[in-house]
PDB file of all heavy atoms in Angstrom:
ATOM      1  N   ARG A   1       0.836  -1.211   0.000  1.00 92.00           N
ATOM      2  CA  ARG A   1       0.000   0.000   0.000  1.00 92.00           C
ATOM      3  C   ARG A   1       0.865   1.253   0.000  1.00 92.00           C
ATOM      4  O   ARG A   1       0.600   2.207  -0.737  1.00 92.00           O
ATOM      5  CB  ARG A   1      -0.940  -0.001   1.206  1.00 92.00           C
ATOM      6  CG  ARG A   1      -2.213  -0.802   1.004  1.00 92.00           C
ATOM      7  CD  ARG A   1      -3.208  -0.535   2.103  1.00 92.00           C
ATOM      8  NE  ARG A   1      -2.713  -0.874   3.419  1.00 92.00           N
ATOM      9  CZ  ARG A   1      -3.295  -1.731   4.261  1.00 92.00           C
ATOM     10  NH1 ARG A   1      -4.407  -2.356   3.900  1.00 92.00           N
ATOM     11  NH2 ARG A   1      -2.788  -1.959   5.446  1.00 92.00           N
ATOM     12  N   TRP A   2       1.888   1.269   0.850  1.00 91.00           N
ATOM     13  CA  TRP A   2       2.733   2.456   0.921  1.00 91.00           C
ATOM     14  C   TRP A   2       3.593   2.612  -0.324  1.00 91.00           C
ATOM     15  O   TRP A   2       3.856   3.735  -0.769  1.00 91.00           O
ATOM     16  CB  TRP A   2       3.577   2.419   2.193  1.00 91.00           C
ATOM     17  CG  TRP A   2       2.720   2.465   3.422  1.00 91.00           C
ATOM     18  CD1 TRP A   2       2.573   1.500   4.372  1.00 91.00           C
ATOM     19  CD2 TRP A   2       1.826   3.521   3.805  1.00 91.00           C
ATOM     20  NE1 TRP A   2       1.657   1.887   5.322  1.00 91.00           N
ATOM     21  CE2 TRP A   2       1.191   3.114   5.003  1.00 91.00           C
ATOM     22  CE3 TRP A   2       1.504   4.767   3.243  1.00 91.00           C
ATOM     23  CZ2 TRP A   2       0.249   3.921   5.645  1.00 91.00           C
ATOM     24  CZ3 TRP A   2       0.568   5.553   3.888  1.00 91.00           C
ATOM     25  CH2 TRP A   2      -0.046   5.140   5.070  1.00 91.00           C
ATOM     26  N   TRP A   3       4.016   1.493  -0.918  1.00 93.00           N
ATOM     27  CA  TRP A   3       4.746   1.591  -2.181  1.00 93.00           C
ATOM     28  C   TRP A   3       3.832   2.127  -3.283  1.00 93.00           C
ATOM     29  O   TRP A   3       4.286   2.789  -4.215  1.00 93.00           O
ATOM     30  CB  TRP A   3       5.314   0.235  -2.578  1.00 93.00           C
ATOM     31  CG  TRP A   3       6.664  -0.039  -1.997  1.00 93.00           C
ATOM     32  CD1 TRP A   3       6.990  -0.958  -1.042  1.00 93.00           C
ATOM     33  CD2 TRP A   3       7.885   0.625  -2.346  1.00 93.00           C
ATOM     34  NE1 TRP A   3       8.338  -0.904  -0.762  1.00 93.00           N
ATOM     35  CE2 TRP A   3       8.905   0.056  -1.548  1.00 93.00           C
ATOM     36  CE3 TRP A   3       8.225   1.638  -3.236  1.00 93.00           C
ATOM     37  CZ2 TRP A   3      10.235   0.465  -1.633  1.00 93.00           C
ATOM     38  CZ3 TRP A   3       9.549   2.059  -3.313  1.00 93.00           C
ATOM     39  CH2 TRP A   3      10.540   1.479  -2.525  1.00 93.00           C
ATOM     40  N   LEU A   4       2.550   1.840  -3.177  1.00 95.00           N
ATOM     41  CA  LEU A   4       1.592   2.385  -4.132  1.00 95.00           C
ATOM     42  C   LEU A   4       1.588   3.913  -4.063  1.00 95.00           C
ATOM     43  O   LEU A   4       1.587   4.600  -5.093  1.00 95.00           O
ATOM     44  CB  LEU A   4       0.202   1.832  -3.838  1.00 95.00           C
ATOM     45  CG  LEU A   4      -0.912   2.114  -4.838  1.00 95.00           C
ATOM     46  CD1 LEU A   4      -0.612   1.463  -6.178  1.00 95.00           C
ATOM     47  CD2 LEU A   4      -2.248   1.617  -4.304  1.00 95.00           C
ATOM     48  N   VAL A   5       1.622   4.456  -2.872  1.00 95.00           N
ATOM     49  CA  VAL A   5       1.665   5.905  -2.696  1.00 95.00           C
ATOM     50  C   VAL A   5       2.982   6.467  -3.211  1.00 95.00           C
ATOM     51  O   VAL A   5       3.019   7.507  -3.888  1.00 95.00           O
ATOM     52  CB  VAL A   5       1.453   6.274  -1.218  1.00 95.00           C
ATOM     53  CG1 VAL A   5       1.620   7.775  -1.011  1.00 95.00           C
ATOM     54  CG2 VAL A   5       0.076   5.833  -0.746  1.00 95.00           C
ATOM     55  N   ILE A   6       4.094   5.774  -2.902  1.00 94.00           N
ATOM     56  CA  ILE A   6       5.404   6.235  -3.371  1.00 94.00           C
ATOM     57  C   ILE A   6       5.457   6.228  -4.897  1.00 94.00           C
ATOM     58  O   ILE A   6       5.972   7.163  -5.531  1.00 94.00           O
ATOM     59  CB  ILE A   6       6.520   5.347  -2.777  1.00 94.00           C
ATOM     60  CG1 ILE A   6       6.602   5.555  -1.264  1.00 94.00           C
ATOM     61  CG2 ILE A   6       7.866   5.659  -3.434  1.00 94.00           C
ATOM     62  CD1 ILE A   6       7.520   4.571  -0.560  1.00 94.00           C
ATOM     63  N   GLY A   7       4.912   5.169  -5.510  1.00 94.00           N
ATOM     64  CA  GLY A   7       4.866   5.118  -6.967  1.00 94.00           C
ATOM     65  C   GLY A   7       4.042   6.248  -7.549  1.00 94.00           C
ATOM     66  O   GLY A   7       4.410   6.854  -8.560  1.00 94.00           O
ATOM     67  N   ALA A   8       2.907   6.554  -6.910  1.00 96.00           N
ATOM     68  CA  ALA A   8       2.064   7.657  -7.384  1.00 96.00           C
ATOM     69  C   ALA A   8       2.792   8.993  -7.259  1.00 96.00           C
ATOM     70  O   ALA A   8       2.691   9.853  -8.146  1.00 96.00           O
ATOM     71  CB  ALA A   8       0.758   7.690  -6.594  1.00 96.00           C
ATOM     72  N   LEU A   9       3.529   9.183  -6.172  1.00 96.00           N
ATOM     73  CA  LEU A   9       4.322  10.413  -6.020  1.00 96.00           C
ATOM     74  C   LEU A   9       5.399  10.504  -7.096  1.00 96.00           C
ATOM     75  O   LEU A   9       5.650  11.594  -7.628  1.00 96.00           O
ATOM     76  CB  LEU A   9       4.957  10.446  -4.629  1.00 96.00           C
ATOM     77  CG  LEU A   9       4.024  10.770  -3.467  1.00 96.00           C
ATOM     78  CD1 LEU A   9       4.744  10.550  -2.131  1.00 96.00           C
ATOM     79  CD2 LEU A   9       3.524  12.202  -3.558  1.00 96.00           C
ATOM     80  N   ALA A  10       6.024   9.372  -7.413  1.00 95.00           N
ATOM     81  CA  ALA A  10       7.038   9.362  -8.468  1.00 95.00           C
ATOM     82  C   ALA A  10       6.404   9.728  -9.811  1.00 95.00           C
ATOM     83  O   ALA A  10       7.000  10.462 -10.613  1.00 95.00           O
ATOM     84  CB  ALA A  10       7.701   7.986  -8.547  1.00 95.00           C
ATOM     85  N   ALA A  11       5.192   9.225 -10.055  1.00 96.00           N
ATOM     86  CA  ALA A  11       4.485   9.582 -11.290  1.00 96.00           C
ATOM     87  C   ALA A  11       4.181  11.071 -11.329  1.00 96.00           C
ATOM     88  O   ALA A  11       4.333  11.731 -12.369  1.00 96.00           O
ATOM     89  CB  ALA A  11       3.197   8.771 -11.402  1.00 96.00           C
ATOM     90  N   LEU A  12       3.753  11.623 -10.196  1.00 95.00           N
ATOM     91  CA  LEU A  12       3.453  13.061 -10.117  1.00 95.00           C
ATOM     92  C   LEU A  12       4.700  13.892 -10.394  1.00 95.00           C
ATOM     93  O   LEU A  12       4.657  14.870 -11.156  1.00 95.00           O
ATOM     94  CB  LEU A  12       2.886  13.388  -8.739  1.00 95.00           C
ATOM     95  CG  LEU A  12       2.503  14.846  -8.482  1.00 95.00           C
ATOM     96  CD1 LEU A  12       1.393  15.297  -9.422  1.00 95.00           C
ATOM     97  CD2 LEU A  12       2.068  15.025  -7.024  1.00 95.00           C
ATOM     98  N   LEU A  13       5.829  13.502  -9.802  1.00 95.00           N
ATOM     99  CA  LEU A  13       7.086  14.231 -10.021  1.00 95.00           C
ATOM    100  C   LEU A  13       7.545  14.113 -11.471  1.00 95.00           C
ATOM    101  O   LEU A  13       8.051  15.085 -12.052  1.00 95.00           O
ATOM    102  CB  LEU A  13       8.165  13.695  -9.077  1.00 95.00           C
ATOM    103  CG  LEU A  13       7.964  13.993  -7.592  1.00 95.00           C
ATOM    104  CD1 LEU A  13       9.017  13.287  -6.753  1.00 95.00           C
ATOM    105  CD2 LEU A  13       7.996  15.491  -7.327  1.00 95.00           C
ATOM    106  N   THR A  14       7.361  12.933 -12.064  1.00 95.00           N
ATOM    107  CA  THR A  14       7.739  12.744 -13.463  1.00 95.00           C
ATOM    108  C   THR A  14       6.895  13.624 -14.374  1.00 95.00           C
ATOM    109  O   THR A  14       7.403  14.245 -15.319  1.00 95.00           O
ATOM    110  CB  THR A  14       7.570  11.266 -13.860  1.00 95.00           C
ATOM    111  OG1 THR A  14       8.378  10.447 -13.003  1.00 95.00           O
ATOM    112  CG2 THR A  14       7.979  11.034 -15.302  1.00 95.00           C
ATOM    113  N   LEU A  15       5.599  13.685 -14.087  1.00 95.00           N
ATOM    114  CA  LEU A  15       4.709  14.546 -14.876  1.00 95.00           C
ATOM    115  C   LEU A  15       5.093  16.012 -14.726  1.00 95.00           C
ATOM    116  O   LEU A  15       5.089  16.776 -15.707  1.00 95.00           O
ATOM    117  CB  LEU A  15       3.262  14.335 -14.435  1.00 95.00           C
ATOM    118  CG  LEU A  15       2.584  13.046 -14.908  1.00 95.00           C
ATOM    119  CD1 LEU A  15       1.308  12.800 -14.120  1.00 95.00           C
ATOM    120  CD2 LEU A  15       2.283  13.128 -16.409  1.00 95.00           C
ATOM    121  N   ALA A  16       5.432  16.427 -13.499  1.00 93.00           N
ATOM    122  CA  ALA A  16       5.816  17.818 -13.272  1.00 93.00           C
ATOM    123  C   ALA A  16       7.117  18.159 -13.994  1.00 93.00           C
ATOM    124  O   ALA A  16       7.243  19.224 -14.619  1.00 93.00           O
ATOM    125  CB  ALA A  16       5.960  18.072 -11.773  1.00 93.00           C
ATOM    126  N   TRP A  17       8.095  17.242 -13.929  1.00 92.00           N
ATOM    127  CA  TRP A  17       9.400  17.483 -14.564  1.00 92.00           C
ATOM    128  C   TRP A  17       9.273  17.531 -16.078  1.00 92.00           C
ATOM    129  O   TRP A  17       9.758  18.460 -16.731  1.00 92.00           O
ATOM    130  CB  TRP A  17      10.371  16.388 -14.136  1.00 92.00           C
ATOM    131  CG  TRP A  17      11.724  16.516 -14.757  1.00 92.00           C
ATOM    132  CD1 TRP A  17      12.562  17.586 -14.684  1.00 92.00           C
ATOM    133  CD2 TRP A  17      12.389  15.544 -15.576  1.00 92.00           C
ATOM    134  NE1 TRP A  17      13.720  17.338 -15.384  1.00 92.00           N
ATOM    135  CE2 TRP A  17      13.638  16.103 -15.932  1.00 92.00           C
ATOM    136  CE3 TRP A  17      12.060  14.268 -16.002  1.00 92.00           C
ATOM    137  CZ2 TRP A  17      14.554  15.400 -16.726  1.00 92.00           C
ATOM    138  CZ3 TRP A  17      12.976  13.571 -16.789  1.00 92.00           C
ATOM    139  CH2 TRP A  17      14.202  14.139 -17.152  1.00 92.00           C
ATOM    140  N   THR A  18       8.607  16.535 -16.664  1.00 90.00           N
ATOM    141  CA  THR A  18       8.450  16.530 -18.118  1.00 90.00           C
ATOM    142  C   THR A  18       7.486  17.617 -18.577  1.00 90.00           C
ATOM    143  O   THR A  18       7.579  18.093 -19.710  1.00 90.00           O
ATOM    144  CB  THR A  18       7.958  15.152 -18.605  1.00 90.00           C
ATOM    145  OG1 THR A  18       6.753  14.787 -17.908  1.00 90.00           O
ATOM    146  CG2 THR A  18       9.008  14.080 -18.375  1.00 90.00           C
ATOM    147  N   GLY A  19       6.554  18.028 -17.692  1.00 85.00           N
ATOM    148  CA  GLY A  19       5.671  19.127 -18.049  1.00 85.00           C
ATOM    149  C   GLY A  19       6.422  20.429 -18.191  1.00 85.00           C
ATOM    150  O   GLY A  19       6.075  21.280 -19.019  1.00 85.00           O
ATOM    151  N   LYS A  20       7.470  20.585 -17.396  1.00 83.00           N
ATOM    152  CA  LYS A  20       8.274  21.807 -17.450  1.00 83.00           C
ATOM    153  C   LYS A  20       9.307  21.750 -18.569  1.00 83.00           C
ATOM    154  O   LYS A  20       9.535  22.734 -19.279  1.00 83.00           O
ATOM    155  CB  LYS A  20       8.971  22.016 -16.106  1.00 83.00           C
ATOM    156  CG  LYS A  20       9.811  23.280 -16.028  1.00 83.00           C
ATOM    157  CD  LYS A  20      10.431  23.441 -14.653  1.00 83.00           C
ATOM    158  CE  LYS A  20      11.263  24.707 -14.568  1.00 83.00           C
ATOM    159  NZ  LYS A  20      11.898  24.879 -13.230  1.00 83.00           N
ATOM    160  N   GLN A  21       9.961  20.577 -18.729  1.00 83.00           N
ATOM    161  CA  GLN A  21      11.049  20.443 -19.691  1.00 83.00           C
ATOM    162  C   GLN A  21      10.585  19.956 -21.059  1.00 83.00           C
ATOM    163  O   GLN A  21      11.249  20.195 -22.068  1.00 83.00           O
ATOM    164  CB  GLN A  21      12.090  19.451 -19.146  1.00 83.00           C
ATOM    165  CG  GLN A  21      12.681  19.826 -17.799  1.00 83.00           C
ATOM    166  CD  GLN A  21      13.653  20.979 -17.906  1.00 83.00           C
ATOM    167  OE1 GLN A  21      14.255  21.198 -18.948  1.00 83.00           O
ATOM    168  NE2 GLN A  21      13.814  21.721 -16.817  1.00 83.00           N
ATOM    169  N   GLY A  22       9.453  19.240 -21.083  1.00 85.00           N
ATOM    170  CA  GLY A  22       9.037  18.570 -22.316  1.00 85.00           C
ATOM    171  C   GLY A  22       9.658  17.181 -22.377  1.00 85.00           C
ATOM    172  O   GLY A  22      10.763  16.953 -21.870  1.00 85.00           O
ATOM    173  N   ILE A  23       8.960  16.251 -22.999  1.00 90.00           N
ATOM    174  CA  ILE A  23       9.436  14.875 -23.032  1.00 90.00           C
ATOM    175  C   ILE A  23      10.733  14.739 -23.810  1.00 90.00           C
ATOM    176  O   ILE A  23      11.512  13.786 -23.614  1.00 90.00           O
ATOM    177  CB  ILE A  23       8.345  13.949 -23.619  1.00 90.00           C
ATOM    178  CG1 ILE A  23       8.575  12.483 -23.184  1.00 90.00           C
ATOM    179  CG2 ILE A  23       8.301  14.050 -25.131  1.00 90.00           C
ATOM    180  CD1 ILE A  23       8.286  12.213 -21.765  1.00 90.00           C
ATOM    181  N   THR A  24      11.023  15.709 -24.695  1.00 86.00           N
ATOM    182  CA  THR A  24      12.249  15.631 -25.489  1.00 86.00           C
ATOM    183  C   THR A  24      13.499  15.834 -24.649  1.00 86.00           C
ATOM    184  O   THR A  24      14.611  15.648 -25.149  1.00 86.00           O
ATOM    185  CB  THR A  24      12.227  16.667 -26.623  1.00 86.00           C
ATOM    186  OG1 THR A  24      11.946  17.962 -26.072  1.00 86.00           O
ATOM    187  CG2 THR A  24      11.163  16.318 -27.657  1.00 86.00           C
ATOM    188  N   VAL A  25      13.344  16.202 -23.380  1.00 87.00           N
ATOM    189  CA  VAL A  25      14.507  16.279 -22.501  1.00 87.00           C
ATOM    190  C   VAL A  25      15.184  14.916 -22.404  1.00 87.00           C
ATOM    191  O   VAL A  25      16.414  14.831 -22.225  1.00 87.00           O
ATOM    192  CB  VAL A  25      14.096  16.786 -21.092  1.00 87.00           C
ATOM    193  CG1 VAL A  25      13.222  15.765 -20.356  1.00 87.00           C
ATOM    194  CG2 VAL A  25      15.331  17.114 -20.252  1.00 87.00           C
ATOM    195  N   LEU A  26      14.408  13.851 -22.544  1.00 89.00           N
ATOM    196  CA  LEU A  26      14.989  12.510 -22.512  1.00 89.00           C
ATOM    197  C   LEU A  26      15.874  12.267 -23.727  1.00 89.00           C
ATOM    198  O   LEU A  26      16.863  11.531 -23.644  1.00 89.00           O
ATOM    199  CB  LEU A  26      13.872  11.459 -22.466  1.00 89.00           C
ATOM    200  CG  LEU A  26      12.927  11.529 -21.268  1.00 89.00           C
ATOM    201  CD1 LEU A  26      11.841  10.468 -21.391  1.00 89.00           C
ATOM    202  CD2 LEU A  26      13.702  11.330 -19.969  1.00 89.00           C
ATOM    203  N   ARG A  27      15.510  12.883 -24.841  1.00 89.00           N
ATOM    204  CA  ARG A  27      16.314  12.711 -26.064  1.00 89.00           C
ATOM    205  C   ARG A  27      17.642  13.455 -25.958  1.00 89.00           C
ATOM    206  O   ARG A  27      18.666  12.961 -26.429  1.00 89.00           O
ATOM    207  CB  ARG A  27      15.516  13.203 -27.262  1.00 89.00           C
ATOM    208  CG  ARG A  27      16.174  12.937 -28.600  1.00 89.00           C
ATOM    209  CD  ARG A  27      15.274  13.351 -29.745  1.00 89.00           C
ATOM    210  NE  ARG A  27      15.805  12.970 -31.039  1.00 89.00           N
ATOM    211  CZ  ARG A  27      15.162  13.126 -32.181  1.00 89.00           C
ATOM    212  NH1 ARG A  27      13.944  13.682 -32.183  1.00 89.00           N
ATOM    213  NH2 ARG A  27      15.713  12.753 -33.336  1.00 89.00           N
ATOM    214  N   ARG A  28      17.618  14.617 -25.338  1.00 87.00           N
ATOM    215  CA  ARG A  28      18.829  15.434 -25.257  1.00 87.00           C
ATOM    216  C   ARG A  28      19.922  14.759 -24.430  1.00 87.00           C
ATOM    217  O   ARG A  28      21.112  14.958 -24.685  1.00 87.00           O
ATOM    218  CB  ARG A  28      18.506  16.809 -24.660  1.00 87.00           C
ATOM    219  CG  ARG A  28      17.682  17.691 -25.569  1.00 87.00           C
ATOM    220  CD  ARG A  28      17.811  19.153 -25.186  1.00 87.00           C
ATOM    221  NE  ARG A  28      17.316  19.412 -23.846  1.00 87.00           N
ATOM    222  CZ  ARG A  28      16.059  19.737 -23.561  1.00 87.00           C
ATOM    223  NH1 ARG A  28      15.170  19.809 -24.556  1.00 87.00           N
ATOM    224  NH2 ARG A  28      15.677  19.980 -22.332  1.00 87.00           N
ATOM    225  N   TYR A  29      19.522  13.989 -23.439  1.00 86.00           N
ATOM    226  CA  TYR A  29      20.508  13.391 -22.536  1.00 86.00           C
ATOM    227  C   TYR A  29      20.582  11.879 -22.703  1.00 86.00           C
ATOM    228  O   TYR A  29      20.711  11.132 -21.750  1.00 86.00           O
ATOM    229  CB  TYR A  29      20.149  13.744 -21.083  1.00 86.00           C
ATOM    230  CG  TYR A  29      20.123  15.215 -20.813  1.00 86.00           C
ATOM    231  CD1 TYR A  29      18.923  15.881 -20.563  1.00 86.00           C
ATOM    232  CD2 TYR A  29      21.297  15.958 -20.842  1.00 86.00           C
ATOM    233  CE1 TYR A  29      18.895  17.242 -20.327  1.00 86.00           C
ATOM    234  CE2 TYR A  29      21.270  17.322 -20.608  1.00 86.00           C
ATOM    235  CZ  TYR A  29      20.074  17.961 -20.350  1.00 86.00           C
ATOM    236  OH  TYR A  29      20.055  19.318 -20.126  1.00 86.00           O
ATOM    237  N   ARG A  30      20.518  11.426 -23.956  1.00 85.00           N
ATOM    238  CA  ARG A  30      20.436   9.985 -24.203  1.00 85.00           C
ATOM    239  C   ARG A  30      21.664   9.236 -23.691  1.00 85.00           C
ATOM    240  O   ARG A  30      21.541   8.117 -23.178  1.00 85.00           O
ATOM    241  CB  ARG A  30      20.226   9.711 -25.688  1.00 85.00           C
ATOM    242  CG  ARG A  30      21.458   9.934 -26.544  1.00 85.00           C
ATOM    243  CD  ARG A  30      21.199   9.586 -27.994  1.00 85.00           C
ATOM    244  NE  ARG A  30      22.457   9.504 -28.739  1.00 85.00           N
ATOM    245  CZ  ARG A  30      22.543   9.423 -30.049  1.00 85.00           C
ATOM    246  NH1 ARG A  30      21.441   9.408 -30.775  1.00 85.00           N
ATOM    247  NH2 ARG A  30      23.716   9.338 -30.639  1.00 85.00           N
ATOM    248  N   ASN A  31      22.851   9.808 -23.818  1.00 84.00           N
ATOM    249  CA  ASN A  31      24.054   9.111 -23.361  1.00 84.00           C
ATOM    250  C   ASN A  31      24.073   8.962 -21.841  1.00 84.00           C
ATOM    251  O   ASN A  31      24.583   7.974 -21.312  1.00 84.00           O
ATOM    252  CB  ASN A  31      25.309   9.844 -23.837  1.00 84.00           C
ATOM    253  CG  ASN A  31      25.478   9.772 -25.347  1.00 84.00           C
ATOM    254  OD1 ASN A  31      25.043   8.803 -25.977  1.00 84.00           O
ATOM    255  ND2 ASN A  31      26.083  10.786 -25.934  1.00 84.00           N
ATOM    256  N   ILE A  32      23.501   9.952 -21.160  1.00 89.00           N
ATOM    257  CA  ILE A  32      23.404   9.852 -19.703  1.00 89.00           C
ATOM    258  C   ILE A  32      22.470   8.711 -19.325  1.00 89.00           C
ATOM    259  O   ILE A  32      22.746   7.945 -18.393  1.00 89.00           O
ATOM    260  CB  ILE A  32      22.916  11.187 -19.108  1.00 89.00           C
ATOM    261  CG1 ILE A  32      23.975  12.270 -19.313  1.00 89.00           C
ATOM    262  CG2 ILE A  32      22.568  11.035 -17.627  1.00 89.00           C
ATOM    263  CD1 ILE A  32      23.550  13.638 -18.832  1.00 89.00           C
TER     264      ILE A  32
END
């Protein structure tokens, strides 16, 4: 149950980060 909450928080943070940077940020740092 608690991992479910942690996973949801990770999803929220991922949405916030990609919402600000755009999904193409993953393309720019492909070698990383």
Side-chain angles (χ1 to χ4, degrees):
R1 277 192 300 237
W2 297 115
W3 272 111
L4 189 64
V5 175
I6 293 171
L9 285 171
L12 181 62
L13 291 174
T14 302
L15 284 166
W17 178 57
T18 55
K20 182 178 180 181
Q21 302 286 334
I23 202 72
T24 53
V25 68
L26 300 178
R27 186 175 187 175
R28 290 201 298 270
Y29 300 110
R30 74 177 193 191
N31 292 331
I32 293 177

